Amino acid sequence: GAGVSQSPRYKVTKRGQDVALRCDPISGHVSLYWYRQALGQGPEFLTYFNYEAQQDKSGLPNDRFSAERPEGSISTLTIQRTEQRDSAMYRCASSLVGRNLLYGYTFGSGTRLTVV
Amino acid sequence: SQQGEEDPQALSIQEGENATMNCSYKTSINNLQWYRQNSGRGLVHLILIRSNEREKHSGRLRVTLDTSKKSSSLLITASRAADTASYFCATVTGGSYIPTFGRGTSLIVHP
């Protein structure tokens, strides 16, 4: 597609429910990143993929968070047993190559998650 | 953990004035990037400067990088009300491909 697409744009869920956030990167982009951004803060790294391989998941807060990119394109970030502290904007970004020396990363508009 | 830290946290200027934001970081980098975030919107990449570059320009934007001081600055000349946004620096270190963001500078340009 023309840009990075994230869905849903907004998600309100009850505490304890599982949620799945979707990211559709720019066609042909090798790398895909997930970030979380709290209000008034900068984006915080969660995990990233090159093709279908998860290269680094050191930013995932705990084992309730997982991500996959099975075919090297669309990615899903899943949060199990959501808690109120999980409420944040979840952002996805993609780039053409893993170490992008020439261009920046293209971000999607994000998914605003609210856990009530 | 925060690698880049922007300064100031907030900046308020009049339209037509120049705006300067600074970013300091702790460890050696491969490149440094600046992003803009308008209220309620996504992050937009503005400019990338590599560790072997000292200055880059893009329209009204000028970015400098001083690796000896581990700092970068973003200058917006002849600011406009539409430049009102939060500006973030993101660093990519040599051994990692992960952009690490600072907390950002909130810029308000009054018409």
Side-chain angles (χ1 to χ4, degrees):
Chain A
V4 177
S5 178
Q6 291 189 246
S7 60
R9 287 294 304 275
Y10 302 94
K11 177 69 177 178
V12 179
T13 190
K14 291 185 177 179
R15 188 177 52 183
Q17 297 292 309
D18 298 350
V19 295
L21 312 180
R22 173 187 164 120
C23 173
D24 193 350
I26 293 175
S27 179
H29 275 199
V30 169
S31 298
L32 184 148
Y33 298 77
W34 282 100
Y35 284 82
R36 178 171 68 174
Q37 187 174 16
L39 203 59
Q41 301 291 318
E44 174 191 12
F45 168 76
L46 295 176
T47 184
Y48 94 97
F49 295 81
N50 279 344
Y51 299 102
E52 72 282 357
Q54 192 169 23
Q55 299 292 323
D56 189 319
K57 56 180 181 179
S58 62
L60 296 177
N62 51 60
D63 60 8
R64 294 186 297 106
F65 287 73
S66 63
E68 62 175 8
R69 193 186 184 197
E71 297 178 359
S73 180
I74 293 171
S75 177
T76 302
L77 177 69
T78 300
I79 309 173
Q80 295 179 311
R81 305 181 302 282
T82 52
E83 302 177 4
Q84 285 189 320
R85 59 178 172 159
D86 299 333
S87 296
M89 177 71 84
Y90 288 82
R91 298 194 183 275
C92 174
S94 70
S95 68
L96 190 57
V97 294
R99 183 171 49 187
N100 199 322
L101 299 179
L102 298 178
Y103 304 105
Y105 300 76
T106 305
F107 279 81
S109 297
T111 294
R112 170 71 67 186
L113 174 67
T114 303
V115 182
V116 298
Chain B
S1 61
Q2 299 288 341
Q3 156 73 320
E5 290 293 339
E6 294 89 344
D7 171 65
Q9 289 188 0
L11 183 59
S12 181
I13 60 174
Q14 294 295 128
E15 207 166 32
E17 295 180 339
N18 295 341
T20 299
M21 287 157 272
N22 302 297
C23 172
S24 59
Y25 56 92
K26 299 173 184 174
T27 59
S28 296
I29 60 171
N30 179 291
N31 67 70
L32 184 147
Q33 305 169 31
W34 285 92
Y35 288 81
R36 180 183 67 219
Q37 183 175 6
N38 296 93
S39 177
R41 297 188 181 179
L43 286 153
V44 175
H45 174 254
L46 297 176
I47 200 163
L48 180 152
I49 187 165
R50 288 176 283 183
S51 60
N52 62 351
E53 297 176 313
R54 292 297 167 259
E55 186 171 315
K56 288 190 80 169
H57 296 256
S58 177
R60 295 183 295 112
L61 305 180
R62 173 177 168 248
V63 168
T64 61
L65 178 65
D66 187 335
T67 53
S68 66
K69 295 181 179 178
K70 291 188 171 58
S71 68
S72 173
S73 67
L74 170 67
L75 169 67
I76 305 174
T77 60
S79 62
R80 306 167 181 167
D83 294 328
T84 294
S86 291
Y87 291 82
F88 296 90
C89 70
T91 54
V92 179
T93 59
S96 161
Y97 308 133
I98 303 168
T100 303
F101 287 81
R103 291 191 174 88
T105 291
S106 175
L107 172 66
I108 297 175
V109 182
H110 299 279

